[in-house]
Amino acid sequence: MSVRVRYAPSPTGLQHIGGVRTALFNYLFARSQGGTFILRIEDTDRERFRQDALEDLFDTMDWLGLSWDEGPITGGSCEPYVQSQRIDLYTEYAGKLVETGNAYPCYCTPERLSALRAQQEQNKSAFVGYDRHCRDLDPTDAPGGVKPVIRLKVPLDGETAFTDLLMGTITRANRDISPDPVLLKSDGFPTYHLANVVDDHLMGITHILRAQEWIPSGPLHVLLYRAFGWEAPKYCHLPMVMGHDGQKLSKRHGSTSVQEFREQGYVPEAMVNYISLLGWSWDGEREFFTREELEKLFTLEKINKAPGVFDYKKLEWFNGHYIRQKSTKELKDLIIPFLERDGVIASPPSPEEQEMVDRMIPIVRERLHLLKDVSDMTRFLFQDVALPPASEIIPKKCDAAVTADILAHAAALLEDMDTADDEVLESRFRAKADELGVKLGAMLMPVRSAVTGSKVSPPLFESLRLLGKQRVLLRMQRALDVMTSEARK
Ligand code: GLU
Ligand code: ZN
């Protein structure tokens, strides 16, 4: 039987690492098995539904390249399944359960239910929840004019178990399962449990890969499958994703929504590769995998029981790796939006700016971990930068007078900077540093600060050449003037 899996998000918030990990594992499992990957939008909770969350879901799937194979209108790029468009179906299936005596209408008013809850709380009652008041109600006693909810008859005794491919057998006493949960609300909308089970069955889902937080729903879902007389899919609850402190990954640890990662300039290749390792490994050693490799190699057998630890530094390192693989054209298309966003270049860029971007790519490529860093790294190439405070121009163990001297000598050494090799320039600076009795670093730092406005920049001589001698010397002269007047104080 061919594998059929689904990602079934509820659009109530932005896509986060945990959700995307579930989506990715389902996608990769389907691809590696030549199976089918389905996207199903579980939007029946109309109070928590958010339109922006739905848009973010599509953006994220698109950005990560997680394409699904099937939907209500199949062929080409298909629509996903959307539960709110399938309401009649859930009503029909809830009706079937009532007919077979596995479910029943409950007419209790919200007032009765909240009074019941208050009473249970007050008595510190061991039993909390619905008291099954309508479970054995004679249909002729049903109050008129009240639209009932439909509840599942959960057996009072015994236990329900299911096998999880990763966790083994999970058993729950039936009395600990929610007492007769609602399947269909009085507004005709299904609850998560009903819609989820009906759809997994109708869509022929063979394996359910989802986060461990859904384990508690497992026994209830198994009861539902049984009530319908259906066979349940195989379950594989995925290990937790944690922060470095062993707590569930959350805002406290850093960014969690995919949108935030995108804004910082992570590339999808790095995200897909890194997220694939959150709870899965190939041989415990190898870390870099292309998408094509993952689509071949992914197996359920290699999912770990232990939680995946989300390491921000490592993801950044992966990102640098994938940035370095980009061609000039690809990297250009990736960084221009960041330069525009940060006001470094015009939007759209002028021809001169375009040309500068082309020229600078080889030297930023090696140093870039996050695309967003390109703005601070290269602003000096596009704009006149403010001179940093004197403390950032004057090297250690030097004063303003010495720094002025360094700048004056450096300017002379740079006379033929456009044509001289890096090695030639460097040995020249080194010789001059010896002569002045300072370190090479002390010789270069004032030049870097004066020209780029920052202590860090791409490799210095290449940066200077990109900017051009005229502007380099002008900025150095400006710093020299400041140092000279400082020295006089
Ligand atoms: N709609 C549920 C969610 O938001 C689906 C859980 C499941 O995969 O069964 O994650
Ligand atoms: Zn009732």
Side-chain angles (χ1 to χ4, degrees):
M1 190 169 53
S2 86
V3 162
R4 293 175 60 83
V5 290
R6 57 21 173 220
Y7 176 46
S10 297
T12 56
L14 299 182
Q15 288 297 301
H16 54 82
I17 293 297
V20 165
R21 198 272 308 260
T22 301
L24 181 65
F25 278 27
N26 276 287
Y27 169 88
L28 293 177
F29 181 50
R31 291 289 170 270
S32 70
Q33 301 294 309
T36 303
F37 173 61
I38 286 173
L39 175 65
R40 183 173 79 222
I41 299 180
E42 302 208 326
D43 60 345
T44 58
D45 185 342
R46 298 315 285 178
E47 270 158 38
R48 294 179 60 220
F49 173 83
R50 276 170 47 186
Q51 184 61 34
D52 65 326
L54 189 62
E55 279 152 27
D56 175 67
L57 167 70
F58 290 130
D59 274 358
T60 301
M61 298 293 280
D62 191 43
W63 186 63
L64 295 174
L66 303 181
S67 51
W68 56 95
D69 306 317
E70 197 181 288
I73 313 160
T74 28
S77 68
C78 57
E79 296 285 315
Y81 290 105
V82 179
Q83 288 189 326
S84 60
Q85 295 167 3
R86 298 161 61 82
I87 299 301
D88 292 349
L89 215 61
Y90 312 120
T91 315
E92 179 191 332
Y93 279 91
K96 289 189 188 191
L97 289 184
V98 175
E99 275 167 36
T100 55
N102 286 292
Y104 60 91
C106 157
Y107 299 89
C108 294
T109 58
E111 292 73 30
R112 175 174 189 276
L113 295 175
S114 60
L116 178 67
R117 203 173 314 124
Q119 201 183 19
Q120 286 170 346
E121 272 165 24
Q122 202 182 15
N123 300 347
K124 301 210 166 36
S125 153
F127 179 85
V128 187
Y130 179 58
D131 60 359
R132 302 187 166 99
H133 180 260
C134 307
R135 182 158 162 144
D136 299 310
L137 195 73
D138 193 315
T140 55
D141 292 338
V146 182
K147 197 135 184 2
V149 303
I150 304 293
R151 290 182 183 274
L152 177 71
K153 266 187 201 168
V154 173
L156 303 176
D157 306 310
E159 51 186 36
T160 302
F162 68 95
T163 308
D164 184 274
L165 294 177
L166 200 62
M167 318 286 292
T169 305
I170 296 173
T171 310
R172 195 116 172 249
N174 288 334
R175 65 172 179 284
D176 294 336
I177 295 177
S178 162
D180 297 5
V182 173
L183 300 177
L184 203 66
K185 296 181 269 187
S186 58
D187 61 5
F189 271 72
T191 56
Y192 154 68
H193 303 296
L194 177 68
N196 185 271
V197 164
V198 166
D199 278 347
D200 281 341
H201 175 74
L202 295 181
M203 293 172 192
I205 298 302
T206 56
H207 296 73
I208 294 183
L209 274 56
R210 63 182 173 197
Q212 265 180 26
E213 67 206 59
W214 295 100
I215 287 180
S217 300
L220 176 58
H221 291 189
V222 169
L223 286 177
L224 263 171
Y225 282 104
R226 219 172 275 161
F228 279 118
W230 297 335
E231 196 188 326
K234 292 193 168 65
Y235 288 97
C236 180
H237 287 91
L238 305 174
M240 300 269 287
V241 180
M242 292 180 166
H244 49 84
D245 56 357
Q247 301 291 314
K248 188 178 165 190
L249 190 71
S250 73
K251 278 251 137 291
R252 286 183 303 113
H253 298 106
S255 306
T256 53
S257 72
V258 175
Q259 211 172 70
E260 287 169 293
F261 287 101
R262 276 179 84 167
E263 280 162 11
Q264 291 170 57
Y266 284 91
V267 296
E269 295 87 342
M271 296 296 285
V272 165
N273 189 162
Y274 185 69
I275 293 172
S276 76
L277 301 176
L278 291 173
W280 177 84
S281 67
W282 172 240
D283 57 6
E285 303 243 323
R286 185 173 160 191
E287 301 196 293
F288 288 115
F289 297 90
T290 63
R291 167 194 299 270
E292 292 70 29
E293 288 167 331
L294 290 170
E295 289 182 6
K296 282 205 193 79
L297 299 177
F298 189 86
T299 51
L300 296 188
E301 288 71 35
K302 291 190 171 162
I303 294 181
N304 308 319
K305 258 192 195 167
V309 177
F310 194 87
D311 181 342
Y312 286 87
K313 276 280 152 236
K314 187 135 188 192
L315 172 60
E316 205 177 300
W317 178 67
F318 268 60
N319 208 53
H321 169 86
Y322 281 101
I323 286 177
R324 287 193 295 280
Q325 322 250 304
K326 297 280 176 198
S327 70
T328 301
K329 167 84 176 70
E330 287 167 336
L331 193 53
K332 181 178 180 186
D333 290 344
L334 286 170
I335 61 180
I336 282 184
F338 285 89
L339 294 168
E340 289 175 346
R341 179 190 79 180
D342 296 335
V344 174
I345 59 176
S347 175
S350 68
E352 295 75 34
E353 288 170 332
Q354 294 266 14
E355 196 199 318
M356 181 60 94
V357 174
D358 285 332
R359 289 175 55 212
M360 80 191 197
I361 282 187
I363 73 164
V364 299
R365 185 192 273 122
E366 297 301 315
R367 298 205 159 189
L368 214 51
H369 289 270
L370 301 180
L371 296 173
K372 78 166 172 52
D373 293 340
V374 74
S375 297
D376 284 346
M377 205 184 268
T378 64
R379 192 180 295 273
F380 73 96
L381 292 173
F382 299 91
Q383 295 169 4
D384 196 10
V385 288
L387 199 60
S391 62
E392 284 176 33
I393 306 175
I394 303 174
K396 258 191 251 139
K397 297 192 196 143
C398 296
D399 59 16
V402 175
T403 309
D405 203 27
I406 289 174
L407 282 164
H409 284 292
L413 300 180
L414 289 169
E415 257 317 305
D416 61 350
M417 58 167 260
D418 290 330
T419 48
D421 287 347
D422 281 3
E423 295 82 64
V424 173
L425 289 175
E426 188 175 320
S427 66
R428 224 185 259 168
F429 268 72
R430 201 178 288 282
K432 185 55 83 179
D434 286 346
E435 196 185 309
L436 297 176
V438 298
K439 292 232 163 68
L440 176 63
M443 193 73 205
L444 298 177
M445 177 186 152
V447 179
R448 189 188 294 277
S449 301
V451 176
T452 71
S454 143
K455 277 190 283 190
V456 284
S457 75
L460 184 61
F461 295 129
E462 289 173 77
S463 300
L464 300 184
R465 238 174 260 125
L466 283 178
L467 192 61
K469 189 169 114 185
Q470 203 188 353
R471 280 188 290 175
V472 166
L473 293 183
L474 217 63
R475 289 184 195 182
M476 284 172 66
Q477 184 59 48
R478 184 177 58 175
L480 178 67
D481 292 345
V482 171
M483 288 298 116
T484 313
S485 74
E486 280 284 312
R488 279 202 211 101
K489 275 185 196 160

